[in-house]
Amino acid sequence: MRANRAASIILAVSFQTLQSPLCFLQSTLSDFRLPDWLQQYQCWLEKEGQDISDHTDRVGAPPLGMFDLSGTRVDEILYSPEYWRMLKHGYQAGLIWRVCEENAVFPAALGIYVTSFYDPGLACPYTVSLSTLVPLSKYGDAELKERFLPRLLQKDEAVWQGATWMTEIKGGSDLGATVETMARPAGTQWLLTGDKYFASNAGANLAVVAARPEGGARNVRGLALFLVPRYGRNGQLNYSIRRLKDKIATHSVPTGEVELRDSEAWLLGRAEDGIYLILEVLNVSRVANSMGSVGLAQRAMADAAAFAQGRVVFGKPLIEQPLMRRQFEDRLRQLQAASKLAWKAVVLLNEVWQERPPYSDRYHLFRLVAHLAKYWTAEVAVQTAKWAMEVHGGMGTLHEYRAERWLREAMILAIWEGPAHRQILDGLEVMERKHAHRLLFQSLAATVDASSLQQMEARVEQHLALPREEKEAGAEALFTDLARFTADALLQAEE
Amino acid sequence: MRANRAASIILAVSFQTLQSPLCFLQSTLSDFRLPDWLQQYQCWLEKEGQDISDHTDRVGAPPLGMFDLSGTRVDEILYSPEYWRMLKHGYQAGLIWRVCEENAVFPAALGIYVTSFYDPGLACPYTVSLSTLVPLSKYGDAELKERFLPRLLQKDEAVWQGATWMTEIKGGSDLGATVETMARPAGTQWLLTGDKYFASNAGANLAVVAARPEGGARNVRGLALFLVPRYGRNGQLNYSIRRLKDKIATHSVPTGEVELRDSEAWLLGRAEDGIYLILEVLNVSRVANSMGSVGLAQRAMADAAAFAQGRVVFGKPLIEQPLMRRQFEDRLRQLQAASKLAWKAVVLLNEVWQERPPYSDRYHLFRLVAHLAKYWTAEVAVQTAKWAMEVHGGMGTLHEYRAERWLREAMILAIWEGPAHRQILDGLEVMERKHAHRLLFQSLAATVDASSLQQMEARVEQHLALPREEKEAGAEALFTDLARFTADALLQAEE
Amino acid sequence: MRANRAASIILAVSFQTLQSPLCFLQSTLSDFRLPDWLQQYQCWLEKEGQDISDHTDRVGAPPLGMFDLSGTRVDEILYSPEYWRMLKHGYQAGLIWRVCEENAVFPAALGIYVTSFYDPGLACPYTVSLSTLVPLSKYGDAELKERFLPRLLQKDEAVWQGATWMTEIKGGSDLGATVETMARPAGTQWLLTGDKYFASNAGANLAVVAARPEGGARNVRGLALFLVPRYGRNGQLNYSIRRLKDKIATHSVPTGEVELRDSEAWLLGRAEDGIYLILEVLNVSRVANSMGSVGLAQRAMADAAAFAQGRVVFGKPLIEQPLMRRQFEDRLRQLQAASKLAWKAVVLLNEVWQERPPYSDRYHLFRLVAHLAKYWTAEVAVQTAKWAMEVHGGMGTLHEYRAERWLREAMILAIWEGPAHRQILDGLEVMERKHAHRLLFQSLAATVDASSLQQMEARVEQHLALPREEKEAGAEALFTDLARFTADALLQAEE
Amino acid sequence: MRANRAASIILAVSFQTLQSPLCFLQSTLSDFRLPDWLQQYQCWLEKEGQDISDHTDRVGAPPLGMFDLSGTRVDEILYSPEYWRMLKHGYQAGLIWRVCEENAVFPAALGIYVTSFYDPGLACPYTVSLSTLVPLSKYGDAELKERFLPRLLQKDEAVWQGATWMTEIKGGSDLGATVETMARPAGTQWLLTGDKYFASNAGANLAVVAARPEGGARNVRGLALFLVPRYGRNGQLNYSIRRLKDKIATHSVPTGEVELRDSEAWLLGRAEDGIYLILEVLNVSRVANSMGSVGLAQRAMADAAAFAQGRVVFGKPLIEQPLMRRQFEDRLRQLQAASKLAWKAVVLLNEVWQERPPYSDRYHLFRLVAHLAKYWTAEVAVQTAKWAMEVHGGMGTLHEYRAERWLREAMILAIWEGPAHRQILDGLEVMERKHAHRLLFQSLAATVDASSLQQMEARVEQHLALPREEKEAGAEALFTDLARFTADALLQAEE
């Protein structure tokens, strides 16, 4: 019976629906009401943004104009002018300012979904701008908010972009050990010195930066979160971009190595809460990444469907071959389930994003779902994109067409904000220490039959009772099954 | 108990072993005796070839020098000089000429394995040279062999390269419908006119080319196989390269679009056997591709191991974290099993490569194993490379390092010579029509316990009895399980 | 006293003036009235076009999308979307349609001047569209004009572009010998087959093409001029682009190798007048090239001036160092004189552009001046750009800045439409055979003192009386002096 | 009669001779004896080096590997392996070590000439290695020489390369004002901190570096010359490469921006003589640049000759057209004269290179000739390369062929080591302050007729008597004429 219901959904979500991110969301999320601005935003991307995105991907990492002709360091990122037009378009449409105006994360989450269908890399500037806006508005004092908030919320071209710079050369998982950027107090401000190795949206007007106040412990407790503007109060560059990185994808966001040298900064919140603020920032990004991954997976599948409809093999369209058709159906259902999981993370974030430590149980549930969603949606994006390339046959391996791009993009979505290994272990921790899985199962009780639920819960509890080594060693299968279970449960709730 | 035995194997095949293709083969294949020349070949690749390969990948598709300054069409492929040195090195080492001298395919298969560990794209020229040599030596008449064989077997720099050009713009799966290249007789020769869209090793001195003799049926029966040299008897270019393709990987083999315009050609074998000859060529390439895929998967895992040993997280090397360690162990075992499957395909090819239609049962078994191996080893290569990128974290997404390369390379190995969809359906056919699975199960009987074997066989037979639509639609899971079953069985045989 | 007058002019044409093409023209050409549209066009280029142009140059030759995913040949030139916006902007501003509306070549000539200050390559599409429009409107019959003229004159984005394709692989100087494209009649149309090796504005909607009607003589008399649209009457591509060429500059115009294969075409005028029509086309382009060269030379000097004002050496701005200052003054005067020469060519073209063979004396004077202007303005552009690079010192050698671009652009302006060698010999011929120099001296009589004029005239006549070999061998010095003399004379006329 | 003698020389130096740098030198320099090693070196470049050079130019600026996978800064320059093979070949052939062994600069000068014919950028590493060797061997104390000299003179692959880093971001002409790199004493060593903006041969093992000892005057007197090795005594990188520059040519030498941060250094000579040592280094480079420029000019002309012999226009080879032939003859004579001038600078350098301040009159003569030669040979190289491009017509504008490369290379030769503006003013100074022109005229007395000499001398003296402003302002014409006069005189001496 489930199979039949799935089949009917698949018929409803026809391949036409696949071609539009908003149609897909409408057909998948029952509670989704489509705002006008978002519809217009998608139209613009379809008509203009997409071609700009193609060109930006093709050209690759932009050059960095380090010095002007007078010998002044300028660190200007040399994208095509139209890149900036495309980038600013999303800000003007309201991906960020609407979050404040509506006091809800939905505008950003939906905007990022739509953006990622056309350009997953472009979703990053919006994500990190959101991740900058949130801690500033929560933890900034009145003066700081007055100074910077209006800039991030401007509705015209002069809008400021945010950025979140944590990772240093020794790695991003174990920040407590690897962050070597030091902060020393200087009046009401701080001066930061250190190198950030993966600085997304390098060149942003305002970054939130993890650093260690002088004398701070050499672990995560010693870290604090700071605001660093691009230009100091003297009008000079407040940080340098050592170079832009030559990534395999997400060419629509400049990722750089950033050098802080006595860079002016403001402390956000209390230094001793630093690690909480840092994790809040990362959690926002993980949810955004989940929406982006699903948008990208939809795109890869949409392109594969279009190709398979046009390509004739043994007398009929490839898509009508039984094996190919089955693959489409299975993957479409998987995509719908993954969308529900990502959306669940969005809904939970929206509930808890204003919380401060100490957090409620609801926040811990959110954390678990965020880990599940980050992990699983990225996995779905990678596998869908890989399969979509194969559907294209040889054409899938050529830069001339789009298919190979989606796999490159997906691999980055799978890695940044922490790869599977990290999500699994952090998810494990929130189950062990906060019993977040119990909250999860409670929340699913209404929609899943009791025996399945009980079986899954028993399996999780049993696993958590294993000795540490064994528990970690075997966590992948558990986490994968839990993600799939949750996603399927959420999808069934609709059916 | 199996787990324990596996663990002991894993200890035997330590991470050191991973770093050398030949050590890995020695530890995995019980019947493998390492020839001196192959050891030297690996040393050369390690010491010199590898850096050349890195550079070749970095630079990407070479430019094509179409005209010299006098306006004469020359179609010169502008690799760096050292590329040619690297390429010729493999021929001189004997990847091809030893096949004739030893009357066995092992030198090529092993050489391709080693090559792919360092440069999977470079394995292609050797593969297609082999795929040219085989039909020429089997089906060429005395004059043709005298004219061309010695060139392909030269042991010095003047050696000729082969190529296999089948696919045209409308796709490579359904050659009977998509090949539009026409052949018309001209004395003892033929003149070919048409465009080959994916011409691997474009620029080769001698290509085997699928074309349709005038008046031939518009299906596979109408196709024949021809030999086309680069220069015609008047010394002029006998085909043009329209352009070299901008592929995501395998930059060490020039893939081009080739224009045949009344190009001189020789028919191989009888025209009415054409499709058999074409499939023989493809089957040789599939086996080579399987060896290449395993070599590449080993390389991705070797690099991941090296990285995870050097990267410290939470106080100890990443590789010693329980979850990461488990992933390594599981994947290593999977890699070993896949190697056994690929090697089985090699051994079978070596038994049957001299057969001509009508084929023996042994040949049909070979075909099934070749499809299983092509499919499964490529899948393992892709998934291993994807996971190895994730192990590298952010560094895995940068062109500056090698990790992302292996995924790009793996995607091409998964697609050329037919993607999964093709292998599965062709594998299904040889089970349906030739009962090749029964031969397979017989051959595994000695090493697998009877009940598992019986269970698997029952499942296959049951599936083959399904109505056609359903049979094809559900073939992926069946084929995957059969591939895994066979690979594991072959691995157990060793243990 | 002349020196003093020159100095005062230089003061008037201050370095500020150098920064604006229209200010420079106003200060140099007494009879120049600045139209509003042109002012707006310059503003747009300054504000938007320039950055697009920088990006277009940086990215280099665009890729060519040869096939769409369905395997249909499309030959789509993959510029950034903004390139097309910039390109269309000039057409919409009226560089071409105003020529028809005002029945004068000035709008194109002035527009090309302004365009070249910002992007000399972008001037090419406008030039060749003009060179297509002119013969169509002069020699096309009513049906042909009705079919194509309105397309070239559209004022919106749907405007068609023209192109002029003469040169084949064996060279462009001796068209009579090197054009191998054949035309065979097919009803009221013709079918053309051949390869054009330097096809500027490849991808244009409508090209004028030199070809040899079947049976035509193997010399220039055997050539005729044809119109070839991009799409044939069946809606299919009417010519293929074999590849886009990797030029050192003029990246804002796609230059390709074009393959004509029974391409539909219309004959322009009478076949026996073909060579005259071809030369008319080239002469229009030469005049446009002259305006472009002067615009480019102004730009190189403007950038050098800006740099030399900002760079401090030995305590004062580089531009105030006496030797540097003198170089600026001398070169500024040379630039002004060259502008006058180019403008003279425009004015003469405007007088004679509607003439048909047999031509008036005025036409022959025009031809001489066009050769002098093409030659001399390009030489000035190259030498100015070379010097401007040197002014920038090391920064002049970096792709990061603009200085080196102007030299690359200038070298192309010097070569296409015939390099110095060609202009000199053709200029010599029109003096020998049509005594065009006498008409030139007459036209200068009012402004140059009689003795200089007489001296110059004597020298020319003496040279023309030399034996052929010697006359040609020594023609460079004569032609250079004549160009300088004419340019200086025209400049003095103003003073 | 002079014309006749010139013509006979031209016949002797046939176009065949143009194709070989050593044949050309033999035919031009009467006192030139060709060593075997040099002949072999040229053979190697012709057979192997040239293709490597083509590839290196095509690929452009190499990437810089900044960090290895463990996160350690490595600043590895990622050329193709064969680049290093080509580079090391010249060192092993003896371009540098023979200078010490023969106690003469000729091996370097001749080797640089030959190198530049094939790759003008490759001549740079040898030049700066020479410019490092000379001050080290002259001014280094015993310990320093023992430490470093043997490394620079090694005859195998382990040879060290030198480099000369003076210029900073504010410009290279006025070092006294623009060098901001500070040196502070640290025991017997110094620690340098500052940024070098144009660091040729970045990555060299040992660089001579201009810096200002703490407390030093803010002018040239405050500068000193230091030795800086790539690795410090602790084995760590002693300087960082911020980036490699994207130059238009000389891709065979990595030019970078170098960051010195408390980099270990040794003082060469006495700090108060610093500026003399710096100028000695520059003068050696200027002479090398002169030989390189002539080698390059020969190459451009050789390629033009080959093209013009192959291209048929109006029924005969382009080179046989009278105007083209005349151009070849004139330029060939100019090239020969320029070679004599460059060689004169070499011979003088060889006389004075061991001198220390205070210098002899002979040294001042050398300085004047070095300025004349640097200026004039570069000018000849640029103009020859520009003309050679034009000879190639459209093909001259394509990256596919070599013609355009020579102009790019020539522009760099014209600019580095000081552009024309600098050479002219410095040449003027040595005439004003040291009366070096009088020594020059004396040295030419034997070969030029007295009246020409007297006339030229009078003109120079008259010019030197002008008021300062006017003297500088008009110096270009004077210097050009003096350079031409000297070069022609030296050529006549042979005839």
Side-chain angles (χ1 to χ4, degrees), chain A residues 378-426:
Chain A
E379 186 65 21
V380 167
V382 169
Q383 298 299 346
T384 305
K386 174 243 179 202
W387 165 82
M389 271 182 74
E390 291 175 2
V391 171
H392 284 77
M395 279 164 160
T397 69
L398 300 178
H399 285 302
E400 192 167 352
Y401 305 108
R402 284 184 188 127
E404 60 84 32
R405 175 179 176 186
W406 308 133
L407 179 59
R408 288 187 282 114
E409 303 280 4
M411 284 308 304
I412 291 189
L413 296 190
I415 287 177
W416 66 14
E417 316 302 342
H421 190 260
R422 189 77 256 123
Q423 303 304 324
I424 293 170
L425 293 180
D426 286 358

XYZ file of all heavy atoms in Angstrom, chain A residues 378-426:
395
model
N 23.283 15.804 2.003
C 24.502 15.901 1.199
C 24.792 14.568 0.523
O 25.190 14.515 -0.645
C 25.674 16.335 2.064
N 24.584 13.479 1.269
C 24.791 12.153 0.692
C 23.832 11.932 -0.493
O 24.236 11.435 -1.547
C 24.555 11.096 1.782
C 24.880 9.685 1.377
C 26.356 9.433 1.072
O 27.211 10.230 1.535
O 26.654 8.476 0.341
N 22.597 12.329 -0.306
C 21.619 12.199 -1.397
C 22.042 13.064 -2.586
O 21.953 12.646 -3.747
C 20.204 12.574 -0.904
C 19.244 12.760 -2.082
C 19.690 11.509 0.065
N 22.529 14.263 -2.302
C 22.950 15.149 -3.391
C 24.101 14.518 -4.168
O 24.098 14.491 -5.406
C 23.353 16.514 -2.840
N 25.090 13.998 -3.473
C 26.243 13.401 -4.153
C 25.808 12.201 -4.983
O 26.152 12.082 -6.159
C 27.323 12.981 -3.134
C 28.393 12.126 -3.807
C 27.945 14.199 -2.470
N 25.039 11.316 -4.380
C 24.664 10.095 -5.095
C 23.735 10.406 -6.263
O 23.801 9.753 -7.311
C 24.031 9.074 -4.134
C 24.978 8.614 -3.020
C 26.242 7.906 -3.525
O 26.331 7.509 -4.685
N 27.245 7.780 -2.654
N 22.862 11.372 -6.084
C 21.978 11.752 -7.185
C 22.772 12.369 -8.325
O 22.547 12.062 -9.503
C 20.909 12.742 -6.697
O 20.218 12.168 -5.587
C 19.925 13.083 -7.803
N 23.699 13.227 -7.976
C 24.494 13.887 -9.018
C 25.373 12.887 -9.748
O 25.559 12.969 -10.969
C 25.341 14.997 -8.397
N 25.920 11.944 -9.005
C 26.760 10.899 -9.618
C 25.923 10.075 -10.601
O 26.327 9.799 -11.727
C 27.333 10.026 -8.492
C 28.096 8.809 -8.964
C 27.405 7.540 -8.501
C 28.106 6.291 -8.968
N 27.216 5.137 -8.972
N 24.763 9.697 -10.161
C 23.892 8.914 -11.030
C 23.432 9.729 -12.239
O 23.365 9.231 -13.372
C 22.700 8.407 -10.201
C 21.558 7.893 -11.012
C 21.446 6.646 -11.573
C 20.379 8.610 -11.368
N 20.260 6.551 -12.245
C 19.587 7.735 -12.144
C 19.917 9.902 -11.110
C 18.350 8.126 -12.655
C 18.693 10.294 -11.614
C 17.924 9.403 -12.392
N 23.126 10.991 -12.011
C 22.670 11.856 -13.112
C 23.752 11.988 -14.176
O 23.468 12.025 -15.375
C 22.255 13.229 -12.585
N 25.012 12.058 -13.755
C 26.113 12.062 -14.732
C 26.086 10.790 -15.565
O 26.266 10.829 -16.783
C 27.462 12.127 -14.009
C 27.959 13.521 -13.738
S 29.606 13.474 -12.919
C 30.658 12.998 -14.303
N 25.887 9.671 -14.903
C 25.884 8.396 -15.624
C 24.724 8.318 -16.611
O 24.860 7.750 -17.689
C 25.823 7.226 -14.634
C 27.111 7.092 -13.823
C 27.029 6.025 -12.743
O 25.973 5.357 -12.654
O 27.994 5.859 -11.992
N 23.593 8.897 -16.225
C 22.459 8.930 -17.155
C 22.851 9.642 -18.453
O 22.456 9.238 -19.537
C 21.242 9.629 -16.507
C 20.141 9.876 -17.540
C 20.713 8.800 -15.337
N 23.681 10.687 -18.325
C 24.103 11.446 -19.510
C 25.129 10.692 -20.351
O 25.495 11.168 -21.438
C 24.711 12.778 -19.109
C 23.717 13.825 -18.696
N 23.102 13.812 -17.465
C 23.227 14.923 -19.334
C 22.282 14.852 -17.368
N 22.332 15.534 -18.488
N 25.614 9.545 -19.877
C 26.643 8.824 -20.620
C 27.870 9.704 -20.798
O 28.181 10.533 -19.937
N 28.545 9.544 -21.931
C 29.779 10.293 -22.171
C 29.601 11.788 -22.010
O 30.507 12.496 -21.548
N 28.444 12.307 -22.416
C 28.219 13.743 -22.286
C 28.299 14.201 -20.828
O 28.539 15.365 -20.547
C 26.876 14.121 -22.894
C 26.976 14.254 -24.413
S 25.363 14.252 -25.185
C 25.737 14.998 -26.781
N 28.064 13.277 -19.931
C 28.152 13.614 -18.514
C 29.557 13.917 -18.043
O 29.733 14.475 -16.958
N 30.544 13.546 -18.846
C 31.933 13.753 -18.422
C 32.563 14.997 -19.032
O 33.750 15.230 -18.854
C 32.808 12.540 -18.834
O 32.918 12.536 -20.273
C 32.209 11.230 -18.359
N 31.776 15.776 -19.762
C 32.322 16.925 -20.484
C 31.985 18.233 -19.783
O 30.847 18.445 -19.364
C 31.777 16.953 -21.908
C 32.089 15.715 -22.769
C 31.439 15.854 -24.138
C 33.592 15.508 -22.898
N 32.979 19.097 -19.688
C 32.725 20.421 -19.127
C 31.727 21.221 -19.961
O 31.176 22.209 -19.498
C 34.044 21.216 -19.041
C 34.939 20.778 -17.924
N 34.536 20.785 -16.614
C 36.205 20.317 -17.913
C 35.519 20.357 -15.843
N 36.537 20.046 -16.597
N 31.538 20.811 -21.196
C 30.643 21.540 -22.101
C 29.199 21.540 -21.595
O 28.424 22.432 -21.924
C 30.728 20.875 -23.482
C 30.094 21.657 -24.605
C 30.502 21.086 -25.961
O 31.381 20.196 -26.007
O 29.924 21.532 -26.965
N 28.839 20.523 -20.824
C 27.461 20.413 -20.351
C 27.423 20.565 -18.834
O 28.455 20.611 -18.180
C 26.878 19.079 -20.814
C 26.991 18.935 -22.317
C 27.899 18.052 -22.883
C 26.238 19.751 -23.164
C 28.036 17.955 -24.267
C 26.367 19.664 -24.543
C 27.268 18.775 -25.095
O 27.396 18.698 -26.454
N 26.226 20.626 -18.290
C 26.114 20.926 -16.864
C 26.234 19.718 -15.945
O 26.465 19.869 -14.760
C 24.773 21.590 -16.572
C 24.692 23.037 -16.993
C 23.352 23.608 -16.567
N 23.164 24.926 -17.124
C 22.102 25.302 -17.820
N 21.140 24.423 -18.058
N 22.005 26.533 -18.257
N 26.018 18.500 -16.465
C 25.851 17.348 -15.573
C 27.018 17.194 -14.605
O 26.815 16.943 -13.413
C 25.661 16.079 -16.403
N 28.238 17.318 -15.097
C 29.391 17.068 -14.219
C 29.497 18.143 -13.147
O 30.029 17.900 -12.071
C 30.678 16.949 -15.034
C 31.064 18.167 -15.850
C 31.819 19.213 -15.041
O 32.550 18.859 -14.112
O 31.624 20.412 -15.340
N 28.977 19.329 -13.427
C 29.056 20.388 -12.426
C 28.338 20.010 -11.143
O 28.812 20.299 -10.060
C 28.457 21.681 -12.990
C 28.398 22.780 -11.959
C 27.822 24.075 -12.504
N 27.706 25.071 -11.438
C 27.146 26.247 -11.569
N 26.656 26.606 -12.749
N 27.079 27.093 -10.550
N 27.198 19.369 -11.283
C 26.397 19.120 -10.078
C 27.119 18.166 -9.125
O 26.989 18.290 -7.911
C 25.003 18.620 -10.445
C 24.284 19.496 -11.437
C 23.619 19.095 -12.558
C 24.177 20.940 -11.418
N 23.108 20.183 -13.234
C 23.433 21.319 -12.565
C 24.637 21.945 -10.577
C 23.144 22.655 -12.879
C 24.353 23.273 -10.876
C 23.619 23.615 -12.013
N 27.898 17.249 -9.673
C 28.662 16.380 -8.777
C 29.768 17.166 -8.071
O 29.982 17.006 -6.860
C 29.262 15.188 -9.535
C 30.098 14.242 -8.663
C 29.288 13.660 -7.511
C 30.700 13.113 -9.490
N 30.448 18.011 -8.809
C 31.478 18.828 -8.160
C 30.870 19.675 -7.044
O 31.411 19.763 -5.935
C 32.157 19.745 -9.184
C 33.076 19.011 -10.147
C 33.844 19.990 -11.032
N 33.059 20.545 -12.121
C 32.701 21.803 -12.272
N 33.060 22.710 -11.360
N 31.979 22.205 -13.305
N 29.755 20.296 -7.338
C 29.109 21.148 -6.326
C 28.708 20.304 -5.114
O 28.908 20.698 -3.953
C 27.860 21.822 -6.921
C 28.084 22.676 -8.175
C 28.638 24.059 -7.881
O 28.938 24.374 -6.705
O 28.789 24.851 -8.842
N 28.135 19.128 -5.397
C 27.636 18.289 -4.302
C 28.770 17.863 -3.373
O 28.596 17.800 -2.151
C 26.914 17.066 -4.871
N 29.931 17.563 -3.935
C 31.048 17.129 -3.096
C 31.436 18.223 -2.100
O 31.852 17.937 -0.975
C 32.256 16.750 -3.966
C 32.155 15.411 -4.662
S 31.744 13.985 -3.596
C 33.043 14.056 -2.380
N 31.316 19.463 -2.532
C 31.656 20.545 -1.588
C 30.575 20.651 -0.519
O 30.879 20.785 0.674
C 31.880 21.868 -2.348
C 33.171 21.738 -3.162
C 31.946 23.043 -1.379
C 33.654 23.001 -3.795
N 29.323 20.545 -0.904
C 28.252 20.579 0.100
C 28.420 19.450 1.117
O 28.094 19.590 2.295
C 26.879 20.477 -0.581
C 26.502 21.644 -1.503
C 25.036 21.536 -1.915
C 26.759 22.991 -0.870
N 28.946 18.319 0.646
C 29.129 17.178 1.555
C 30.269 17.413 2.534
O 30.310 16.808 3.601
C 29.390 15.915 0.732
N 31.197 18.262 2.160
C 32.406 18.406 2.975
C 32.380 19.629 3.883
O 32.716 19.540 5.069
C 33.652 18.403 2.055
C 33.882 16.964 1.539
C 34.872 18.912 2.801
C 35.019 16.807 0.559
N 32.007 20.783 3.325
C 32.070 21.955 4.218
C 30.993 21.882 5.298
O 30.064 21.130 5.208
C 32.111 23.273 3.460
C 30.913 23.671 2.650
C 29.663 23.142 2.679
C 30.898 24.716 1.657
N 28.867 23.784 1.786
C 29.583 24.758 1.151
C 31.833 25.629 1.163
C 29.208 25.679 0.165
C 31.457 26.543 0.193
C 30.156 26.562 -0.307
N 31.168 22.597 6.346
C 30.357 22.488 7.571
C 30.498 21.103 8.206
O 29.661 20.701 9.026
C 28.866 22.796 7.322
C 28.562 23.993 6.448
C 29.143 25.285 6.989
O 29.473 25.331 8.179
O 29.285 26.248 6.214
N 31.565 20.377 7.831
C 31.833 19.074 8.443
C 31.344 17.925 7.591
O 30.145 17.830 7.321
N 32.245 17.003 7.206
C 31.833 15.845 6.412
C 31.100 14.816 7.277
O 30.932 15.009 8.489
C 33.154 15.285 5.894
C 34.203 15.781 6.824
C 33.686 17.043 7.432
N 30.690 13.741 6.644
C 29.886 12.709 7.306
C 30.486 12.288 8.645
O 29.778 12.204 9.662
C 29.768 11.495 6.377
N 31.762 12.010 8.659
C 32.446 11.557 9.868
C 32.142 12.474 11.045
O 31.842 12.030 12.166
C 33.961 11.534 9.561
C 34.795 10.882 10.611
N 35.500 11.604 11.544
C 35.032 9.572 10.881
C 36.151 10.765 12.341
N 35.895 9.529 11.960
N 32.190 13.763 10.796
C 31.936 14.750 11.845
C 30.467 14.754 12.268
O 30.124 14.801 13.449
C 32.330 16.137 11.302
C 32.354 17.253 12.275
C 33.595 17.239 13.164
N 33.293 16.754 14.483
C 33.901 15.717 15.043
N 34.821 15.025 14.397
N 33.579 15.344 16.256
N 29.564 14.753 11.298
C 28.129 14.822 11.601
C 27.709 13.602 12.420
O 26.920 13.693 13.363
C 27.287 14.888 10.319
C 27.627 16.040 9.381
C 27.552 17.410 10.033
O 26.698 17.675 10.882
N 28.467 18.298 9.659
N 28.240 12.460 12.025
C 27.855 11.223 12.704
C 28.292 11.268 14.166
O 27.512 10.989 15.088
C 28.474 10.011 11.970
C 27.852 9.859 10.586
C 28.302 8.731 12.792
C 28.558 8.847 9.680
N 29.546 11.647 14.393
C 30.047 11.650 15.767
C 29.373 12.722 16.615
O 29.070 12.506 17.798
C 31.566 11.824 15.775
C 32.343 10.632 15.168
C 33.845 10.889 15.205
C 32.005 9.333 15.905
N 29.111 13.882 16.027
C 28.424 14.925 16.784
C 26.974 14.539 17.051
O 26.414 14.837 18.115
C 28.481 16.264 16.035
C 29.870 16.890 16.112
O 30.756 16.301 16.779
O 30.075 17.955 15.502
